[in-house]
Amino acid sequence: MQGTLSSFIVRILFLTLFLSLTAHATTEIDNDYAGALWVAKSDGILKLATANGHVLFEISDASDAQAMAIDERRGRLWLYGNGLLSAYAFDGKLITSHRDLSSQGQSSLATLTVSPTDGSVWLGSGNRVVHYSSDATILGTSKNSGIITAITAAQKSSAVWVADAQSISLVNEANNQITLRELYKSSSPLLEMHYVDYLQQLWVVTSTSLVRLDNAGKVQSETPFQQLKHIAPDHKGAVWAVAGQKVYRMDASGLIEAELNLFLPREGGDIVALVADKADGTAWLANRKTIVHLGLAGQTLNEIQEGKGSAGINALALFRDLIAPLISILNPVDNSITPNNHPLIEISYSDTGIGVDGETLLLFVNAQDVTAQCETTEEG
């Protein structure tokens, strides 16, 4: 199941300069693609609205997910837990699943990422790296010498990086075989890693510091940190970081912009998950019992108690539809000469996410607003 595709054609006919046709604006909004926070708990998956934290629905048959990843372009939530890889549509319907029999006896540590260019999925479980197609077919595997601690993928290319406790490697894949080319060796255990397309660099967490690397593995900055466990780049250069119950926001150089003590309910323990909102740079974080939404200055925007009873929170994933609609000029074609001064102008627009509100469409020709002269029809 792909993301929702809404396509429309807009036609403007200039009979005279001031005579207009009636506009038939069309509104097609798919609320499944509205901003959402996905919460993996030991007894299922919750989908929360980012606008107010309200629970939209629960997937009760997806329990004990160890890792989550979102395919924004295709509208899929990928989960991995107990040897089962599954993909769900944003409406909660199961799309596909694959039982990884070779994962038996592997470490419970798992990491998951999606390659946006083709929708394929990379899984690190124990010391194995597995590459799956968008329908959960295995494309390639590799066995590493150490336990995989992180996998991250570029958003605008097919580049993928893998980390274990000692090193970071760039993935090479050919003929269903995965090889790893080491780029960086760490003197301290590597815990987490994220690639940021905005910087074209990697943020890396070790047991003693926060490190920023370029594509070749060269250190660009290093900030000493003790007990640092989780980071979440905001995709505009800054990064959120968590150490124990302390939360930090830093700029691209590692300079701390905000620091606060976050006192979550003690029974929930330390923070287990952290994600940043690409739309506004805010952060969502959780311990086993509580979810908190933080503003840019560290202020609490929302607090949600979700780990009820023995069901604890394992992971978070956040979706915001930031992929712009596709707009194309169908007529007149490029470099054509119109036969008169009242040509038919055709424009198509489509979107694979939340959709396009036709009432917000504005069209200008030679700096003149001609929106009222548009006729909008659904393509096909």
Side-chain angles (χ1 to χ4, degrees):
M1 179 177 177
Q2 298 291 324
T4 301
L5 177 61
S6 302
S7 302
F8 299 88
I9 294 179
V10 180
R11 293 181 174 88
I12 311 114
L13 178 61
F14 289 101
L15 301 176
T16 67
L17 183 60
F18 299 105
L19 182 63
S20 65
L21 299 179
T22 302
H24 302 286
T26 303
T27 301
E28 285 289 329
I29 298 298
D30 187 346
N31 288 321
D32 290 335
Y33 286 78
L37 180 72
W38 296 87
V39 183
K41 302 198 304 175
S42 54
D43 63 350
I45 304 295
L46 295 178
K47 184 180 183 181
L48 309 182
T50 54
N52 50 28
H54 292 171
V55 176
L56 300 175
F57 60 78
E58 181 176 2
I59 306 174
S60 58
D61 60 348
S63 60
D64 279 328
Q66 300 159 246
M68 292 194 295
I70 289 179
D71 183 350
E72 299 176 354
R73 299 185 186 180
R74 295 157 189 85
R76 294 184 178 185
L77 172 72
W78 287 91
L79 308 173
Y80 181 80
N82 296 324
L84 183 65
L85 177 70
S86 304
Y88 289 85
F90 282 177
D91 61 3
K93 294 178 181 177
L94 179 66
I95 298 173
T96 187
S97 62
H98 174 82
R99 175 68 65 180
D100 183 11
L101 298 177
S102 59
S103 67
Q104 294 179 357
Q106 294 283 344
S107 167
S108 61
L109 178 65
T111 181
L112 197 64
T113 195
V114 173
S115 184
T117 54
D118 59 6
S120 63
V121 181
W122 293 85
L123 169 68
S125 177
N127 65 345
R128 297 173 63 251
V129 177
V130 186
H131 187 199
Y132 293 91
S133 68
S134 58
D135 63 359
T137 300
I138 294 180
L139 300 176
T141 62
S142 176
K143 186 170 287 188
N144 194 48
S145 58
I147 300 298
I148 306 300
T149 58
I151 298 182
T152 188
Q155 297 293 302
K156 299 177 181 179
S157 73
S158 59
V160 176
W161 294 264
V162 173
D164 59 26
Q166 282 79 41
S167 63
I168 295 173
S169 300
L170 182 66
V171 171
N172 293 308
E173 187 177 25
N175 301 320
N176 296 327
Q177 295 296 317
I178 298 173
T179 59
L180 305 177
R181 179 167 62 88
E182 186 177 293
L183 299 179
Y184 175 74
K185 194 79 172 178
S186 177
S187 58
S188 302
L190 293 164
L191 305 176
E192 195 169 315
M193 170 182 65
H194 296 272
Y195 182 77
V196 181
D197 282 80
Y198 180 84
L199 298 173
Q200 295 188 355
Q201 293 176 349
L202 290 159
W203 282 106
V204 181
V205 176
T206 78
S207 61
T208 58
S209 61
L210 176 63
V211 184
R212 185 164 51 89
L213 305 175
D214 65 14
N215 285 334
K218 183 178 179 181
V219 176
Q220 302 299 298
S221 68
E222 185 167 3
T223 305
F225 263 105
Q226 298 296 324
Q227 297 182 323
L228 190 63
K229 289 187 177 181
H230 303 287
I231 59 169
D234 72 354
H235 303 275
K236 297 179 182 178
V239 63
W240 290 89
V242 167
Q245 293 246 9
K246 272 200 168 184
V247 181
Y248 304 87
R249 178 177 167 83
M250 291 169 281
D251 64 16
S253 69
L255 180 67
I256 295 175
E257 296 179 329
E259 176 182 350
L260 68 150
N261 289 304
L262 193 65
F263 296 104
L264 296 177
R266 185 170 298 176
E267 63 271 17
D270 288 341
I271 295 167
V272 298
L274 171 67
V275 291
D277 190 324
K278 292 188 293 184
D280 57 18
T282 61
W284 293 81
L285 55 149
N287 66 4
R288 294 282 290 172
K289 299 294 182 183
T290 306
I291 301 168
V292 175
H293 185 198
L294 296 180
L296 295 179
Q299 74 276 24
T300 298
L301 303 177
N302 200 352
E303 183 171 324
I304 306 164
Q305 300 289 330
E306 277 302 338
K308 300 177 177 67
S310 59
I313 297 168
N314 296 333
L316 300 176
L318 190 139
F319 170 77
R320 293 291 292 266
D321 182 11
L322 300 181
I323 301 175
L326 177 65
I327 301 176
S328 303
I329 299 176
L330 304 180
N331 189 57
V333 298
D334 196 21
N335 296 321
S336 66
I337 298 175
T338 58
N340 50 54
N341 63 357
H342 48 83
L344 173 68
I345 300 176
E346 289 183 282
I347 297 171
S348 72
Y349 59 90
S350 61
D351 185 62
T352 58
I354 195 171
V356 179
D357 185 349
E359 294 183 356
T360 65
L361 177 69
L362 295 176
L363 184 63
F364 292 83
V365 176
N366 296 330
Q368 178 184 351
D369 186 351
V370 296
T371 308
Q373 298 171 256
C374 297
E375 178 184 343
T376 305
T377 60
E378 187 167 357
E379 189 173 16

